[in-house]
Amino acid sequence: EIVLTQSPGTLSLSPGERATLSCRPSQSLSSNYLAWYQQKPGQAPRLLIYDASRRATGIPDRFSGSGSGTDFTLTIRRLEPEDSAVYYCQHYDNSPLTFGGGTKVEIK
Amino acid sequence: EVRLVQSRAEVKKPGESLMISCETSGYSFSSYWIAWVRQMPGKGLEWMGVIYPGDSDTRYSPSFQGQVTISADRFGNTAYLEWSSLKTSDSAMYYCARPMGSDMLAGHYYFDSWGQGTLVTVSS
């Protein structure tokens, strides 16, 4: 089973700043099969990024994904108050697919 | 518009049985897999398993194999998650979600649509 380690645990930033979230799989992903989700309190997760760098439908271009192998990054440019949420990565390289532990983004 | 609407919150006692549902609309239910994901209180997301309503092919995470049963009614466009004997440790939010990807059988999928979640509380 691939373990996904997300860091930092919590990120506290001001509006307009850039957030950089990390996701590191315990083994290399063969085909960039990595997705990112946003989950706000009391809501279901929402798909942001799939295939490591492709934005899902309706996701603003402030959100971008990059990386390969064992090092993936979600970048949120120009943070807005509505970006306050927990962000999860998920691999789908093989079964069982797993999620990371999440990074909480707080907007000051 | 793809919609996944889940059944209401449940409060049960240990040892009781339970089935929760996920009614879908806006797409061809029989042609897409559908999955269940657990989120324990204050914790992260865990993939439980997935079913293809067209032929009821079902795959479980090793962590949930034998603990729950996933089923689907392709004529009612509804997926189900069932427990025969609940434990207090089953208390969690459960989401249904639609997988999308290049190869479902190989596990190459992410989740593009989610239900609103069903909160299950198991307490004596």
Side-chain angles (χ1 to χ4, degrees):
Chain A
E1 175 175 314
I2 296 175
V3 176
L4 300 177
T5 301
Q6 290 191 242
S7 61
T10 303
L11 205 47
S12 186
L13 296 166
S14 299
E17 290 192 301
R18 172 191 300 245
T20 303
L21 287 65
S22 173
C23 176
R24 290 198 162 93
S26 58
Q27 62 192 71
S28 181
L29 301 188
S30 55
S31 297
N32 289 347
Y33 285 144
L34 192 101
W36 290 92
Y37 301 87
Q38 176 193 66
Q39 186 177 34
K40 296 181 179 180
Q43 295 186 18
R46 177 175 73 144
L47 176 68
L48 298 175
I49 301 288
Y50 63 97
D51 291 351
S53 62
R54 297 177 183 268
R55 265 188 303 277
T57 303
I59 302 303
D61 61 7
R62 302 186 294 105
F63 292 88
S64 63
S66 63
S68 64
T70 59
D71 193 1
F72 294 86
T73 299
L74 174 70
T75 301
I76 313 172
R77 292 183 294 116
R78 302 189 307 275
L79 275 167
E80 297 185 3
E82 71 221 39
D83 298 332
S84 180
V86 179
Y87 293 81
Y88 294 98
C89 58
Q90 174 231 325
H91 89 84
Y92 43 105
D93 200 58
N94 54 38
S95 188
L97 57 88
T98 57
F99 294 84
T103 290
K104 184 176 184 178
V105 173
E106 298 177 339
I107 310 299
K108 294 177 185 174
Chain B
E1 179 196 3
V2 174
R3 291 196 71 205
L4 285 70
V5 179
Q6 298 185 230
S7 50
R8 62 175 174 79
E10 301 274 0
V11 179
K12 292 287 191 179
K13 295 187 183 325
E16 292 186 331
S17 63
L18 175 65
M19 177 181 278
I20 62 174
S21 65
C22 172
E23 184 173 357
T24 72
S25 60
Y27 72 99
S28 175
F29 180 67
S30 295
S31 301
Y32 290 82
W33 293 73
I34 192 152
W36 289 93
V37 175
R38 183 175 79 174
Q39 187 167 38
M40 299 182 77
K43 301 298 184 183
L45 303 163
E46 301 171 271
W47 170 70
M48 301 177 70
V50 65
I51 187 167
Y52 185 70
D55 62 6
S56 295
D57 187 358
T58 309
R59 313 291 172 95
Y60 293 94
S61 162
S63 298
F64 292 93
Q65 179 81 48
Q67 307 304 307
V68 296
T69 301
I70 294 172
S71 60
D73 171 8
R74 62 191 177 104
F75 300 108
N77 296 336
T78 301
Y80 300 94
L81 179 65
E82 183 178 16
W83 294 260
S84 59
S85 180
L86 286 160
K87 309 179 188 67
T88 56
S89 57
D90 292 319
S91 295
M93 181 70 83
Y94 293 89
Y95 294 100
C96 60
R98 190 180 75 163
M100 292 292 286
S102 61
D103 188 342
M104 297 296 171
L105 296 180
H108 299 323
Y109 54 83
Y110 50 90
F111 304 103
D112 75 334
S113 299
W114 294 70
Q116 84 279 17
T118 296
L119 182 63
V120 174
T121 303
V122 184
S123 174
S124 54

